[in-house]
Amino acid sequence: EVATSEIAMKSFDAFGRPVQEFQVKTTFGGYMSVCSLILVTTLFFMELWYFLQKETKDKMVIDQGQDQKYLNMTLDITLPEAPC
């Protein structure tokens, strides 16, 4: 007698022959179909996770072509709580 799991796996076989008269569903084909589905689903979610991750890159470029040696900066600071 054929085991129940073997019959169930035959129903998952996506690699059967295309013509209905010659279509043969096998247990191995069912296992291949299930493994392929698990692999495709896993790869899909891994790629989706990788795509949704934010990637930050820190980059500093020093401009060597400046003529000035010093950088002029002006700061306007207001201290409201400072005593006179």
Side-chain angles (χ1 to χ4, degrees):
E1 240 182 64
V2 179
T4 309
S5 63
E6 191 173 322
I7 294 171
M9 289 312 294
K10 283 183 182 182
S11 67
F12 284 115
D13 187 3
F15 301 102
R17 298 186 185 237
V19 180
Q20 187 66 27
E21 299 169 351
F22 301 110
Q23 188 171 11
V24 177
K25 293 192 174 201
T26 61
T27 305
F28 178 74
Y31 283 116
M32 287 292 295
S33 299
V34 170
C35 289
S36 298
L37 181 64
I38 291 170
L39 179 67
V40 168
T41 304
T42 303
L43 289 174
F44 172 77
F45 282 111
M46 286 175 63
E47 288 295 322
L48 181 65
W49 178 74
Y50 179 73
F51 175 73
L52 293 177
Q53 277 190 335
K54 294 182 178 165
E55 184 177 332
T56 58
K57 292 183 180 180
D58 296 328
K59 185 176 179 181
M60 181 185 289
V61 179
I62 299 172
D63 187 10
Q64 299 291 335
Q66 289 184 349
D67 294 335
Q68 296 178 342
K69 188 173 182 178
Y70 299 104
L71 179 64
N72 296 326
M73 274 199 271
T74 305
L75 297 175
D76 185 14
I77 299 174
T78 305
L79 302 171
E81 298 294 324
C84 290

